[in-house]
Amino acid sequence: MPAHSRAAVLPELTGDVVDLTAAVCDIPSVSGDETRLADAVEAALKPLGHLEVLRDGDSLVARTNLGRDHRVVIAGHIDTVPIKTNVPTWRETALDGTEELWGRGTVDMKGGVAVALHLAAVLTEPRWDITWVFYDHEEVAADDNGLRRLVANHPDWVSGDLAVLGEPTAGGIEGGCNGTLRAEIATTGRTAHSARAWRGVNAIHAAGEILDRLRAYTPREVDVDGLVYREGMSAVGVTGGIASNMIPDRCVVTVNYRFAPSLDPAGAEAHVRELFDGFDIEITDLAGGARPGLDDPLVQSFVESVTGVTGGAPGPKYGWTDVARFAELGIPAVNFGPGDPMLAHADDERCAVEEIRSCARALHTWLA
Amino acid sequence: MPAHSRAAVLPELTGDVVDLTAAVCDIPSVSGDETRLADAVEAALKPLGHLEVLRDGDSLVARTNLGRDHRVVIAGHIDTVPIKTNVPTWRETALDGTEELWGRGTVDMKGGVAVALHLAAVLTEPRWDITWVFYDHEEVAADDNGLRRLVANHPDWVSGDLAVLGEPTAGGIEGGCNGTLRAEIATTGRTAHSARAWRGVNAIHAAGEILDRLRAYTPREVDVDGLVYREGMSAVGVTGGIASNMIPDRCVVTVNYRFAPSLDPAGAEAHVRELFDGFDIEITDLAGGARPGLDDPLVQSFVESVTGVTGGAPGPKYGWTDVARFAELGIPAVNFGPGDPMLAHADDERCAVEEIRSCARALHTWLA
């Protein structure tokens, strides 16, 4: 039996949250291979009498049932992108004296997972009922996403009045997220030998008009619930050409539109179709964003409490994240977790240990 | 020993030129596999006492040495593009009553080869000395081209005062040829996640300016020695993009410039560098054209004699052909051969048998 299939055991959850982060990172769980870590999480949570523990595949849900006025959902994914040579983790002291934990998952997002596991054990009598969600398959195709599966199979397991997703935000609060749309904008022409170009119609030349419209386009900045979301309208791919002596009859520009959460998916599609009117347009990917919900009293209490510990004001989240899945259920959702998002997936992925402790303190202050 | 490696034998060269065309087509000689046909051609020419026969690889040169005032070079390639199910050849009568020979090579260019073989045997006392050239590897990379090899290894074998290349021109005379240049015009930018497009510089957007210049460009029509050459400046490929969520940092447009033979390669390159000033430009392919040389008295006698038989006035050749190799040696060169060039390489490749006979008659009239 290979070593990695032996059961893994997590340290005492109520102990040091940085030690716990290292232990969670040291159980490899690349997407598709989360079972051993899911088993360890389940084994650590099951004995806690104040939690009801549920499982679907390699996703776990642990919740209090104290009859509180509100229920808060705190969620994080337990999978990582592929490991380089950065597991197991190690500690280093940076030149400026910062203590850091290095390794795959320290940023995205086993720091957030460890904070949640620690607080799930510590907070036996939280101010509100809490649902802790640990899910699989976030770093791969959306179809496999564990949170998508939970929302589809057990919407009651993940329902609540506010969701906090522990994705790395460097300890700040990032509200909601932009939506994302991909479209293939195509031109058509007529082939000919390039020695007799006048007999054809060049589809690549025609695509110049698509690029002209992109260059002339000024992305909007949209205020949503007090946060300003910057949009983006970008070509992310272009392809055309048959042979080096042929006039091409087709050229495709792939455009990615990142749209503010004030726009719904249908509105985003209409905007793209208007911008590229006259061309063949195929929408290949479309996911709505999430409003930050900062006008919600529960969200306000979270923001006030957390910023009292961490200091920073909330900002918008530009990248699409799983908070949008909560938005689909009508649940306000924010991103809050340790780690610099710029270091996610990087070979030198690492997190300041103080950031992990500070996130744990901030959430504890709000929830205790 | 496989059947195709047995020696092939051509019919009597002085017999019917259409039967000879069929026989040449029925010895398969896809580029790289010309030896059996080259052997058959050599075996058919060797016994002819009025010809000196030379060989380099699978290229053959047969020439008279009669001490005439002028020497005419008549050249054709013996290879074909790959065979479909169209060898051996067959005859059909079209709806309009035209007798046709169907099969690979009937157009490109075993009709021209058969006309040359026939006349090489028939013209024992031609008006001018004649050098008949049958070469290999025309349908593949220029580096393998048999005529290029002959020009490099034995320039004296292919020298003369006028060259006639038997490529298909539907029995008309096409003078010289355009040159061809390929260049990769590139833009550079800076990568970023497409959720934060403003942190990057989009190289695909920047390529819009390249396409704008192409769309605004009006290809020239240039009179050279009395023939009007149409030029072409065409994008034949475009590629850009890293991932569907990345701002790309590089985009490359491949441009093919077909330039009139009045411009030399250096002039063509300068024109492209001027047109795309400000972008990274890499010239990846550059071959000069060939002037039609219609002001040459020998060429004029050819044109007058041939058009007296076939009727049509000479026109320019747009595609680059091996006539440019003769132009490099300072030898005027024209294209003249049976077959509709639009049917070259086609699955339904076929040639009117009367066109083969008419080309043979026209050349015979001029050379006898």
Side-chain angles (χ1 to χ4, degrees):
Chain A
M1 190 182 282
H4 73 265
S5 65
R6 272 179 292 145
V9 179
L10 290 174
E12 174 56 50
L13 300 185
T14 53
D16 180 67
V17 70
V18 177
D19 289 344
L20 182 58
T21 300
V24 172
C25 290
D26 292 345
I27 303 174
S29 58
V30 176
S31 309
D33 200 22
E34 298 98 329
T35 304
R36 194 156 161 266
L37 178 56
D39 289 349
V41 168
E42 186 176 21
L45 293 172
K46 268 277 169 74
L48 304 178
H50 63 289
L51 294 175
E52 176 192 15
V53 179
L54 305 161
R55 181 162 180 166
D56 179 313
D58 286 332
S59 286
L60 287 154
V61 172
R63 60 185 178 189
T64 62
N65 292 300
L66 302 167
R68 301 288 197 254
D69 288 346
H70 295 298
R71 176 172 291 279
V72 172
V73 181
I74 299 186
H77 64 85
I78 62 171
D79 61 320
T80 70
V81 294
I83 291 164
K84 299 287 227 187
T85 54
N86 53 358
V87 168
T89 53
W90 68 98
R91 296 198 192 202
E92 282 190 23
T93 305
L95 288 177
D96 65 0
T98 306
E99 287 290 320
E100 296 173 333
L101 182 67
W102 284 65
R104 176 64 73 233
T106 51
V107 167
D108 191 6
M109 56 160 283
K110 290 182 169 180
V113 166
V115 166
L117 284 170
H118 175 70
L119 295 179
V122 167
L123 293 165
T124 53
E125 291 282 340
R127 189 198 307 196
W128 296 294
D129 272 313
I130 307 178
T131 301
W132 306 95
V133 179
F134 305 92
Y135 64 99
D136 56 290
H137 282 93
E138 193 272 346
E139 297 288 6
V140 285
D143 281 351
D144 296 327
N145 183 290
L147 186 59
R148 188 201 61 75
R149 193 177 69 243
L150 289 177
V151 168
N153 293 353
H154 314 282
D156 55 306
W157 290 10
V158 292
S159 70
D161 303 298
L162 168 62
V164 178
L165 198 68
E167 289 275 3
T169 60
I173 297 173
E174 295 184 351
C177 72
N178 270 337
T180 182
L181 174 153
R182 281 186 194 81
E184 295 190 347
I185 317 294
T187 58
T188 50
R190 192 172 66 242
T191 61
H193 196 289
S194 63
R196 297 176 202 85
W198 55 91
R199 293 192 184 174
V201 176
N202 195 312
I204 295 177
H205 294 197
E209 171 68 18
I210 297 172
L211 302 185
D212 286 350
R213 293 189 198 176
L214 282 167
R215 281 189 293 163
Y217 184 89
T218 302
R220 300 181 300 183
E221 303 193 359
V222 185
D223 188 309
V224 184
D225 300 345
L227 296 183
V228 176
Y229 288 81
R230 288 184 77 164
E231 295 194 333
M233 183 74 76
S234 310
V236 291
V238 61
T239 178
I242 300 165
S244 65
N245 61 357
M246 290 282 279
I247 302 302
D249 62 348
R250 186 170 165 80
C251 183
V252 178
V253 180
T254 303
V255 169
N256 186 204
Y257 178 34
R258 301 285 179 148
F259 55 95
S262 52
L263 207 58
D264 65 7
E269 176 171 345
H271 185 60
V272 166
R273 290 194 180 278
E274 184 184 8
L275 180 59
F276 297 108
D277 185 39
F279 296 98
D280 288 340
I281 300 171
E282 187 186 349
I283 308 294
T284 56
D285 185 30
L286 179 52
R291 302 182 72 101
L294 296 183
D295 48 352
D296 181 281
L298 191 60
V299 179
Q300 284 170 359
S301 85
F302 168 74
V303 170
E304 282 162 21
S305 178
V306 165
T307 56
V309 175
T310 61
K317 185 77 173 177
Y318 294 120
W320 193 92
T321 77
D322 275 336
V323 296
R325 300 188 193 280
F326 292 107
E328 276 183 45
L329 297 174
I331 306 172
V334 297
N335 304 273
F336 174 67
D340 177 355
M342 293 293 130
L343 292 174
H345 305 190
D347 291 353
D348 58 347
E349 185 172 348
R350 62 192 186 275
C351 186
V353 302
E354 177 51 28
E355 218 170 82
I356 299 170
R357 295 192 209 286
S358 149
C359 278
R361 275 200 307 276
L363 279 175
H364 186 274
T365 301
W366 177 52
L367 293 165
Chain B
M1 187 181 280
H4 73 267
S5 65
R6 271 178 293 143
V9 178
L10 290 174
E12 175 56 50
L13 300 185
T14 54
D16 181 67
V17 70
V18 176
D19 289 344
L20 183 57
T21 301
V24 172
C25 290
D26 292 346
I27 303 174
S29 58
V30 175
S31 309
D33 200 22
E34 298 97 329
T35 303
R36 195 156 161 266
L37 178 55
D39 289 347
V41 168
E42 185 177 21
L45 293 172
K46 268 278 169 75
L48 304 178
H50 63 288
L51 294 174
E52 177 192 14
V53 178
L54 305 161
R55 181 163 179 164
D56 179 312
D58 286 332
S59 286
L60 287 155
V61 172
R63 60 186 177 189
T64 63
N65 292 301
L66 301 167
R68 301 286 197 256
D69 288 347
H70 296 297
R71 176 173 291 280
V72 172
V73 181
I74 300 185
H77 63 86
I78 62 171
D79 61 320
T80 69
V81 295
I83 291 164
K84 298 288 225 184
T85 54
N86 53 358
V87 167
T89 54
W90 68 97
R91 297 199 192 200
E92 281 190 24
T93 304
L95 287 178
D96 65 0
T98 306
E99 287 291 319
E100 296 172 333
L101 182 66
W102 284 65
R104 176 64 72 232
T106 51
V107 167
D108 192 7
M109 57 162 281
K110 290 183 170 180
V113 166
V115 166
L117 284 170
H118 175 70
L119 295 179
V122 167
L123 292 165
T124 54
E125 291 281 338
R127 189 196 309 197
W128 296 292
D129 273 311
I130 307 177
T131 300
W132 307 95
V133 179
F134 306 92
Y135 63 98
D136 56 289
H137 282 94
E138 193 271 347
E139 297 289 6
V140 286
D143 281 351
D144 296 328
N145 184 290
L147 186 58
R148 187 201 63 74
R149 193 177 69 242
L150 290 177
V151 168
N153 294 354
H154 314 282
D156 53 308
W157 291 11
V158 293
S159 69
D161 304 298
L162 166 61
V164 178
L165 199 67
E167 289 275 2
T169 59
I173 296 173
E174 295 185 349
C177 72
N178 270 336
T180 182
L181 174 153
R182 281 188 193 81
E184 296 190 346
I185 318 294
T187 58
T188 51
R190 193 173 64 243
T191 60
H193 196 290
S194 63
R196 297 176 202 85
W198 56 90
R199 293 192 183 176
V201 176
N202 196 312
I204 294 177
H205 294 197
E209 170 68 18
I210 297 171
L211 301 185
D212 286 351
R213 293 190 197 177
L214 281 167
R215 281 190 293 164
Y217 184 88
T218 303
R220 299 180 299 183
E221 304 195 358
V222 185
D223 188 311
V224 184
D225 301 345
L227 297 183
V228 176
Y229 288 81
R230 289 184 76 163
E231 295 194 333
M233 182 76 76
S234 310
V236 292
V238 61
T239 178
I242 300 166
S244 65
N245 61 357
M246 288 284 278
I247 302 302
D249 62 349
R250 184 170 167 81
C251 183
V252 178
V253 180
T254 303
V255 170
N256 186 204
Y257 177 35
R258 301 285 179 150
F259 54 96
S262 52
L263 206 59
D264 66 7
E269 176 172 346
H271 185 60
V272 166
R273 290 194 180 278
E274 184 184 7
L275 179 60
F276 297 107
D277 185 39
F279 295 99
D280 288 339
I281 300 171
E282 188 185 349
I283 307 294
T284 57
D285 185 29
L286 178 53
R291 301 182 72 100
L294 295 184
D295 48 352
D296 182 282
L298 191 60
V299 178
Q300 284 169 359
S301 85
F302 169 74
V303 170
E304 281 161 24
S305 177
V306 165
T307 56
V309 175
T310 61
K317 185 77 173 177
Y318 295 120
W320 192 92
T321 77
D322 275 337
V323 296
R325 301 189 192 278
F326 292 107
E328 275 182 45
L329 296 175
I331 305 171
V334 296
N335 304 273
F336 173 67
D340 176 354
M342 292 295 129
L343 292 173
H345 305 189
D347 291 354
D348 57 347
E349 185 171 348
R350 63 191 186 277
C351 185
V353 301
E354 177 50 29
E355 217 170 83
I356 300 170
R357 294 191 210 285
S358 150
C359 277
R361 274 200 309 274
L363 279 175
H364 187 273
T365 301
W366 176 52
L367 293 166

